[in-house]
Amino acid sequence: MSNQLSIDQAFINNLNTIIEDHIEDDQFGVEELAIALGISRSQLHRKLNAINGKSTSQFIREFRLEKAMDMLQDNVATASEIAYKVGFSSPSYFNTSFNQYYGYPPGEVKFRNPLNDEDVVEIPPMNDNAEPVLLKRRRFNPRTYVIASMVLILIAIISYYNFAKPETNTTSEIIDPVISSDNSIAVLPFRNMSGNPDNEAFCDGMTTAVISGLSKIRDIKKVISFTSMMNYRNSNKSIPEISDELKVHYILESGFQKSGNEIKINLQLIDGTSDKLIWSEEYEGKYDSVFKLQARVAEMVAKQLKAKITEEERTGIHKPSTKNMEAYANEVQGFYLLNSYSTKNIIASRKYFEKAIELDSAYADAYTSLGRTYSTLGTWYGNLSRKEADSLAAPYFKKALQLNPKNFQLIYSMAEKELFNWNFKSADSLINIFEQQRGKFFFSSFIDLLLCRNDEVIESTHHLLKENPDASWGYHAVLAAYAYYFKGKKESSLYVMRKGLQLAPDQNYYDHFGNIYLAMGDYEKAKDVLETGLQISDKRHASMVIHLAAVYYYLGDEGKSKELLNEVIDRANKGEPEINVFVAHYYARLGNKDEAFKWLDIAYKKHEVDMIWLKADPNLLKLKNDPRYKLLCQKVGFPETKNNFN
């Protein structure tokens, strides 16, 4: 046994040496490592998996991340520079991978230790006899309605259950739409010029504040959302490329520097169509005057865009979200963690929002964000049922609504909540309000996909097919891959999946892309993608297990297929929330309609989130001509459409 351990350790040491010799080569991957060892990829994968249960790509990635951690702790360079030094093709992908592996972004290495088990927070039980719930990671696995005036925003939110939007089934030619208005702008994420990674959160706070201020000015026709702009953090794309993709005329580039109580902001307003500098300015001030600076920036940019500002709008721009600077600092830090796509960070962000509320009980943004932490963990990021998540989030959303019903972050959060509760028209309408000021982004494309508006999905994600897309992919790749598949554009779907896994690999991608490969009948590729996804995931996602069960069935291994199916059925019978729908997917895929509808009925009665995929999951294609399918779609609340899976 000791001899075997020695042989295995020697093999691992050899791998480490080879990878370290090529550490800066972002093209050095599984194929290159196998060649260097003189064995096949499959041999390398089997041997490594037998030793430590890891895939080869996971082993390489973790080796690079651990080297990066050493460099960050030794402060040898900035996080972006280190990303390239350890072989990552883009800092954004490095940040995402580092965050997933260590539980916090690379910028926080010098200021905190990795989150320990005590940071995993228990949600209090709903009653005295219930057990507390331990939050763990569970990843995810225009319109014709026009608001007549901003006054209706208040009415829309308070009565959002009553929204209705006529459905359209028109398709559009897939072409680059022209920039719709000269009076449109995107604010690039503020650059951290201080060299202190701890200021990354403040940079995001400045970006959010300027976007929010500009969005309050009705005469500015389009302001791209913060969520969409985060795709361009560390992007190497040119200003004209970004302008073309976002369909805006102007781009605001900014830098933020903070040293003690002193802050400095550098601004450059650029014509996105010509790449010409229109205006630049520098502001300096004290940190406790940051709200005045944010308002000043919004006003000066609006002036350059020749946008008129009413007195009401000016008052709104200058009204600070809080007068307590310590509360603001906590909210900014919490918001930064909440948007990191790490379950531990989402949980950890709650203490910052709770502290912000403790310091300022009228801080609407903090209530909204705290509600989002619970609501998010009721989907693919946690193990809460939708009912539990809504119950925990509701008081915070209610309080935020009372304090500031026109808050766009609240509108977005409530749109999410409505969608996950099957209220498609309400979600669609609320997102329309958001889009009118913030521009189109992935969530609206997600709704398009769920409602079979595949042409609109493709139109909004067409730029993904351009060369060197780097950070702009994000979850758009998943939406585009499905939309191209349903439109019969197999090669485009394959291209998007290959690029998605190459540029921004994520367990969520492996789940969805494995599902699409399964639908295409490429079972070996589906098996490889899904097994890799399970290996890099921090839990066994029921959707991936079920997809893999179907793959094994078609590969002729019915024993393995049944074993995986029974695993998920057993978990469902033991009360694991939100997974009955996946058992239905298995039976639907195999053509057993009666069993499929039996499990769909269970999922319907439990109000499972993933029922929103009823019209957009290829596993359910064989059910679409069954009268029971149409009836179920009506019961779930889907708007009527002529065709499904179109």
Side-chain angles (χ1 to χ4, degrees), residues 173-191:
E173 184 179 0
I174 307 306
I175 58 174
D176 285 356
V178 297
I179 294 175
S180 58
S181 171
D182 284 348
N183 201 348
S184 55
I185 187 170
V187 180
L188 289 173
F190 273 63
R191 299 187 312 276

Side-chain angles (χ1 to χ4, degrees), residues 364-392:
D365 288 350
Y367 283 104
T368 299
S369 295
L370 186 53
R372 278 190 64 198
T373 66
Y374 290 110
S375 184
T376 303
L377 290 165
T379 57
W380 303 273
Y381 291 89
N383 63 353
L384 294 178
S385 70
R386 190 67 238 163
K387 183 178 180 180
E388 290 174 303
D390 285 345
S391 177
L392 290 163

Side-chain angles (χ1 to χ4, degrees), residues 418-550:
E418 287 299 276
L419 178 63
F420 298 144
N421 281 289
W422 308 350
N423 298 316
F424 298 97
K425 290 185 178 180
S426 295
D428 211 7
S429 297
L430 287 165
I431 284 299
N432 281 337
I433 300 172
F434 189 93
E435 282 186 346
Q436 287 173 27
Q437 291 295 319
R438 301 299 181 89
K440 195 175 183 69
F441 68 120
F442 92 88
F443 191 74
S444 51
S445 296
F446 180 39
I447 295 177
D448 285 339
L449 179 71
L450 297 179
L451 298 181
C452 305
R453 300 192 288 238
N454 293 305
D455 285 314
E456 293 187 26
V457 176
I458 292 171
E459 184 174 345
S460 64
T461 59
H462 69 279
H463 62 274
L464 296 177
L465 298 182
K466 294 182 179 179
E467 290 298 320
N468 302 317
D470 78 65
S472 67
W473 278 67
Y475 190 62
H476 287 293
V478 171
L479 306 180
Y482 274 116
Y484 280 119
Y485 168 78
F486 286 125
K487 294 297 294 184
K489 299 179 182 292
K490 180 178 178 179
E491 290 305 315
S492 294
S493 184
L494 288 170
Y495 177 90
V496 170
M497 290 192 289
R498 286 194 298 267
K499 279 289 188 179
L501 291 175
Q502 174 188 344
L503 294 169
D506 180 278
Q507 57 185 343
N508 179 33
Y509 286 16
Y510 286 99
D511 184 12
H512 287 289
F513 292 164
N515 190 25
I516 296 173
Y517 280 119
L518 167 62
M520 290 179 174
D522 190 343
Y523 305 124
E524 287 292 348
K525 183 64 176 178
K527 176 175 173 287
D528 178 60
V529 169
L530 291 166
E531 287 184 338
T532 301
L534 284 171
Q535 287 169 1
I536 68 172
S537 301
D538 52 6
K539 68 171 291 184
R540 286 181 65 81
H541 297 278
S543 54
M544 274 195 272
V545 175
I546 281 295
H547 296 153
L548 194 56

Side-chain angles (χ1 to χ4, degrees), residues 545-563:
V545 175
I546 281 295
H547 296 153
L548 194 56
V551 167
Y552 274 111
Y553 177 86
Y554 286 109
L555 287 174
D557 192 342
E558 294 190 31
K560 182 66 174 177
S561 175
K562 196 70 173 178
E563 176 188 332

Side-chain angles (χ1 to χ4, degrees), residues 61 116 158 256 454 513 546 568 637:
R61 183 168 58 254
N116 300 314
I158 295 176
F256 177 80
N454 293 305
F513 292 164
I546 281 295
V568 178

